[in-house]
Amino acid sequence: MGRPPCCDKVGVKKGPWTPEEDIILVSYIQEHGPGNWRSVPTNTGLLRCSKSCRLRWTNYLRPGIKRGNFTDHEEKMIIHLQALLGNRWAAIASYLPQRTDNDIKNYWNTHLKKKLKKLHTGLDDHNQDGFSASQPISKGQWERRLQTDIHMAKRALCEALSLDKPSQLPESNPFDGYHPYTRPYQASIYASNAENIARLLENWNKNSPKSVQKNNSQNTQNSSNNLVIANGSSPSTEGATTPDAFDSLLSFNSPTSDVSQSVSVDETANLTPEMNLVQDESKADLETQVPLTFLEKWLFEDGATQGQDVDLINNMSLEDNPGYF
DNA sequence: AAATCTTTCAACCGCGTGGCC
DNA sequence: TGGCCACGCGGTTGAAAGATT
């Protein structure tokens, strides 16, 4: 009964990926680009199902992924975006381009949920839970609650932003510079990381698999980190995540710097076909983000106009924008 | 030092959706 | 129009690591 498995279970390997498998997958994607996952296992000889390959790539091997500790900024953004969007981790992740939805989801479940719970139990017994995962509510309540949620989220987000930037509220959209639409920014990351993968592959060819395996006794985590370590902007510093670098990338702390401008034409012009494909992939992501620009505008365009939220919500007719909720 | 408990996070599973025929 | 297929998403699981007793 039920849906047949996505792939033949017989002979399909499960569990943690080995460095060897990572290399095979990365080199294949480098050559053919991401996509057509169905054919990846057969073409690479990997004993993995297509889903597993895609997941491994998107959550771990894909260039531009930042791992390790979340910065305060990221934390706040996740909290507020979760309040806004609910458990739409992919949508939330689109605002944190260096984080995967899986990462964010895990972080929410393991850290932020507890944090917020603590916070709320620390407060009065009033039902201050502004977050979506709560008891069932009626439709009318849901609508009122949604309005409250959005209002609270908007205020909290503005507060968070002003906390991080005590001297100034962003004149422009604070998402500038790392908004998923800002493709040149992504391109620079992908470009640098694609080079790393190439370098890694070169080293892989030089070294015997055994030696690699030895280096990766900590299973796959190290191996995939290695992919980026060669970069110089290594996430191996993740223990002490580099908020400065990250913030500057995101332009949070320097509203005048436009990251999209910081990428030279050469950099984007020198993209390999693989990089372009990666860009194409990110392009596909962008399409799912279109509705969010509306929220962005609303959140940041007129931060001072609190109290107009109800009007705005009224304007945001569910019929006109069915995808928003 | 060993046993037990807790936390973390990579990976899996099943469902929804959109594209193609 | 309906069925099939591939992909993406969110919830869940379980092994490993870390903390505590």
Side-chain angles (χ1 to χ4, degrees), chain A residues 71-81 160 163-164:
Chain A
T71 64
D72 284 349
H73 247 121
E74 291 174 301
E75 204 172 273
K76 282 170 191 163
M77 282 188 65
I78 292 167
I79 290 170
H80 301 314
L81 286 168
L163 270 181
D164 290 332

Side-chain angles (χ1 to χ4, degrees), chain A residues 26-169:
Chain A
V26 167
S27 59
Y28 177 82
I29 291 174
Q30 195 177 28
E31 205 175 323
H32 299 92
N36 198 10
W37 295 107
R38 185 84 174 174
S39 65
V40 171
T42 46
N43 290 347
T44 58
L46 286 168
L47 300 174
R48 297 278 181 174
C49 77
S50 54
K51 260 187 181 182
S52 187
C53 293
R54 184 180 57 82
L55 210 66
R56 184 64 180 171
W57 171 257
T58 54
N59 285 344
Y60 215 95
L61 300 174
R62 182 166 55 93
I65 290 179
K66 178 182 165 191
R67 312 199 62 80
N69 295 347
F70 281 68
T71 64
D72 284 349
H73 247 121
E74 291 174 301
E75 204 172 273
K76 282 170 191 163
M77 282 188 65
I78 292 167
I79 290 170
H80 301 314
L81 286 168
Q82 203 278 343
L84 266 178
L85 304 168
N87 294 358
R88 294 174 57 202
W89 305 116
I92 293 172
S94 69
Y95 282 84
L96 295 160
Q98 295 183 313
R99 301 290 188 180
T100 68
D101 52 353
N102 208 33
D103 244 6
I104 293 170
K105 181 173 60 183
N106 281 335
Y107 190 68
W108 172 265
N109 287 329
T110 57
H111 293 90
L112 296 180
K113 248 184 182 176
K114 288 178 199 164
K115 228 177 189 178
L116 292 169
K117 205 174 179 183
K118 246 185 187 176
L119 207 74
H120 286 137
T121 52
L123 296 171
D124 296 338
D125 290 338
H126 298 126
N127 182 13
Q128 306 215 18
D129 178 13
F131 301 89
S132 314
S134 56
Q135 322 88 341
I137 50 179
S138 74
K139 194 177 176 183
Q141 284 176 315
W142 180 85
E143 284 174 0
R144 278 195 298 277
R145 171 122 168 214
L146 179 63
Q147 291 185 359
T148 311
D149 281 355
I150 292 171
H151 183 83
M152 284 175 63
K154 180 182 174 181
R155 275 175 57 175
L157 183 50
C158 290
E159 279 168 22
L161 291 170
S162 57
L163 270 181
D164 290 332
K165 292 182 52 186
S167 60
Q168 59 206 344
L169 265 172

